[in-house]
Amino acid sequence: MNVRALAAKALYAVLEQGISLSVALPEQQKKLSNGKDKGLLAELCYGVLRVLPQLDKRVSDCLSKPFKNKQRVLHQLLLVGCYQLYFTRIPEHAAISETAEACRQLRFEGLVKVINGVLRNIQRNQTELSADNPVLEFNTPNWLIKHLQAAYPDAWKSIIEQSHQRPPMWLRNNQQAQSREQYLSQLSEAGIEATAGKSKDAILLEQATDVMQLPNFAQGAVSVQDAAAQWAAWLLEPKDNELILDACAAPGGKTCHILEQAPNAQVIAVDFDEKRLARVNENLERLNVSAQTIHGDAANIDSWWQGDKFDRILLDAPCSATGVIRRHPDIKWLRQSKDIEELAKLQSQILDHCWQWLKPGGTLLYATCSILPEENAEQIKAFLARQSDAKLEGFAEQNSQDSIGWQITPGESNMDGFYYARLKKQ
Ligand SMILES: C[S@@+](CC[C@H](N)C(=O)[O-])C[C@H]1O[C@@H](n2cnc3c(N)ncnc32)[C@H](O)[C@@H]1O
């Protein structure tokens, strides 16, 4: 299969059908056998989504009338073509001929000449891409720019810039398998350059590497997890023999880290999404740790749990994921302003409900991979106002001791954007 045709199909699924790239991309990648081709396909999809408004404008300006309905996939194909001409080192003649060939493979033989013509036109007039309005200048939707400006009057531009960088690859050392120093030596022996991160298990790879090249990956020596997400288990401070609820657990990165730290804790890992819950089981198995996985609603614990209240609860809440746009650029185009209010409502429902299931003296760690205050500091401020038995505990790591919780912004110490607040029940 032609890689450009597959890229156009994946982008069609995201932009026309609202499917997330983490679902749409593997769907097309499985049609390729060569690893290099799979990499190129990912690069084309991620690249287009990062700079979508600018490419969209350039392509639309070259078309006398827009493609409609099923032909929309040709618009996405032109975005792929335009991206190659502006942002890659692929020789221009190869970019154009391969993209035109993709049009044939997509079964629009009669339009090959149009695709070819538009791309040649773009090649001939490689004018600077337009930055005439904020959406074009920052390749970000207006509503998100406004939210970020309000929340970060000084830093919003650098946050947007960081959200467009290629993210690094972080590993989490499995402290039950070896020490971080030992694993760093193993990496060095394998010729893989890496350094230690701030939290105790974090390892930053100099370059992204296929996991199967990592020493003992299949045996559970390490996991791939951003350093920001690795703070969850450290801040939760799980202990052996405690009863711990991971309320929104899938795919289980944090569940496994909790068990690596406290292998004899009784961990209940719950998720609403049955398919994603299956991935928790796969991760538990690879790391050789065990938890009870339950398909259930964190806002209705009574329906699936008749046991004791919990010593600790991790609530890694469903959120806008605005902190991880550098890893998931499709979020910019799939999320809408109205989602934020709805998400904040859902988060507060789950938070209030989980609180009832926490023992007196217990700890609840609230986490999101969002950078919007509505889902984070404002959410916790409102919670503290309605729950008189809740006390917020600060973290040594947080930037200001006065702030409500710890807001990590994208790129800070090379991490994803994340938020943590630790609440103690009086
Ligand atoms: C941010 S992700 C969790 C990531 C996970 N903690 C990890 O570290 O791998 C949020 C999860 O919440 C789940 N979810 C959403 N609403 C839920 C609900 N009402 N009850 C339980 N899980 C829910 C989603 O299916 C999703 O898997």
Side-chain angles (χ1 to χ4, degrees):
M1 279 299 278
N2 177 302
V3 177
R4 281 79 178 170
L6 298 179
K9 282 187 173 188
L11 290 166
Y12 179 88
V14 173
L15 298 170
E16 307 291 331
Q17 299 175 317
I19 296 170
S20 98
L21 186 62
S22 56
V23 173
L25 179 61
E27 196 58 35
Q28 301 304 329
Q29 271 178 326
K30 69 184 182 205
K31 299 175 188 165
L32 296 167
S33 50
N34 177 314
K36 254 192 173 169
D37 285 346
K38 287 185 190 196
L40 174 60
L41 174 56
E43 156 67 13
L44 295 175
C45 293
Y46 279 92
V48 167
L49 292 168
R50 281 201 183 100
V51 290
L52 181 67
Q54 289 188 330
L55 297 176
D56 223 6
K57 168 114 181 65
R58 190 77 185 83
V59 165
S60 301
D61 285 351
C62 291
L63 289 169
S64 49
K65 65 176 189 325
F67 290 113
K68 289 213 177 105
N69 306 323
K70 285 207 168 147
Q71 285 188 357
R72 282 299 290 166
V73 71
L74 296 182
H75 185 82
Q76 274 87 46
L77 182 63
L78 284 173
L79 298 176
V80 172
C82 188
Y83 176 75
Q84 293 171 82
L85 294 175
Y86 273 92
F87 294 99
T88 71
R89 293 201 190 133
I90 298 170
E92 293 184 348
H93 64 273
I96 295 177
S97 65
E98 285 288 318
T99 308
E101 174 54 29
C103 179
R104 206 182 307 279
Q105 281 206 8
L106 291 167
R107 297 172 201 262
F108 291 105
E109 292 247 351
L111 292 165
V112 172
K113 273 194 182 153
V114 176
I115 299 296
N116 208 32
V118 171
L119 291 177
R120 289 212 179 285
N121 184 2
I122 292 175
Q123 179 196 22
R124 267 195 309 274
N125 312 300
Q126 270 201 31
T127 47
E128 245 183 61
L129 291 169
S130 169
D132 283 351
N133 61 45
V135 175
L136 289 168
E137 187 180 353
F138 300 111
N139 283 306
T140 300
N142 235 332
W143 71 266
L144 185 54
I145 297 176
K146 294 241 165 72
H147 269 73
L148 293 175
Q149 283 171 333
Y152 305 93
D154 301 323
W156 65 274
K157 272 192 195 171
S158 74
I159 289 176
I160 291 180
E161 196 192 311
Q162 284 297 329
S163 298
H164 285 82
Q165 300 301 313
R166 277 149 219 264
M169 182 166 172
W170 284 97
L171 301 179
R172 183 185 81 234
N173 180 59
N174 178 357
Q175 53 181 276
Q176 296 299 325
Q178 70 279 306
S179 71
R180 175 166 68 176
E181 282 56 44
Q182 284 168 334
Y183 199 73
L184 281 166
S185 309
Q186 289 182 31
L187 285 172
S188 160
E189 277 162 29
I192 299 171
E193 280 186 61
T195 46
K198 262 193 209 162
S199 70
K200 289 184 194 146
D201 295 323
I203 294 176
L204 178 64
L205 295 187
E206 194 66 31
Q207 269 186 2
T209 306
D210 178 354
V211 289
M212 287 312 167
Q213 307 297 321
L214 299 171
N216 299 323
F217 179 82
Q219 291 74 34
V222 284
S223 301
V224 177
Q225 188 180 42
D226 189 85
Q230 293 189 37
W231 279 105
W234 292 110
L235 301 176
L236 183 69
E237 298 180 334
K239 307 276 182 312
D240 278 342
N241 304 316
E242 285 181 339
L243 179 61
I244 299 176
L245 171 64
D246 188 351
C248 294
K254 299 182 189 78
T255 318
C256 293
H257 197 195
I258 290 170
L259 283 158
E260 287 165 10
Q261 290 196 3
N264 295 316
Q266 188 189 346
V267 175
I268 314 297
V270 174
D271 205 280
F272 207 41
D273 182 331
E274 204 165 11
K275 266 199 194 152
R276 281 170 64 89
L277 194 65
R279 293 194 42 214
V280 181
N281 287 320
E282 285 164 24
N283 281 322
L284 290 166
E285 204 172 302
R286 184 178 64 84
L287 292 162
N288 200 19
V289 286
S290 66
Q292 186 180 345
T293 52
I294 297 179
H295 175 216
D297 182 355
N300 190 5
I301 297 177
D302 319 54
S303 66
W304 48 262
W305 184 249
Q306 281 76 45
D308 289 345
K309 289 191 174 181
F310 299 93
D311 295 297
R312 287 175 207 268
I313 297 179
L314 171 60
L315 173 50
D316 189 14
C319 72
S320 64
T322 38
V324 292
I325 285 174
R326 61 182 195 161
R327 293 193 191 278
H328 304 281
D330 51 328
I331 285 166
K332 289 189 290 181
W333 316 117
L334 295 178
R335 285 264 175 259
Q336 291 171 18
S337 180
K338 67 172 171 44
D339 297 343
I340 307 305
E341 209 179 305
E342 283 168 19
L343 281 163
K345 216 190 246 169
L346 174 67
Q347 290 153 358
S348 75
Q349 274 168 5
I350 301 181
L351 183 53
D352 283 346
H353 186 73
C354 282
W355 190 251
Q356 294 172 28
W357 277 92
L358 186 66
K359 276 184 195 161
T363 297
L364 184 149
L365 184 72
Y366 176 82
T368 72
C369 57
S370 164
I371 48 173
L372 302 180
E374 297 91 317
E375 301 176 85
N376 299 339
E378 283 174 18
Q379 177 75 264
I380 296 304
K381 196 174 166 191
F383 175 78
L384 291 167
R386 60 180 185 267
Q387 298 287 350
S388 56
D389 58 351
K391 185 169 172 280
L392 179 73
E393 290 190 330
F395 309 122
E397 294 77 19
Q398 74 194 49
N399 348 38
S400 143
Q401 288 309 312
D402 301 334
S403 54
I404 300 177
W406 181 21
Q407 179 68 71
I408 304 169
T409 52
E412 202 178 311
S413 303
N414 249 324
M415 295 190 282
D416 284 344
F418 234 87
Y419 176 80
Y420 290 110
R422 187 166 56 195
L423 301 158
K424 187 119 185 152
K425 195 163 187 170
Q426 305 290 59

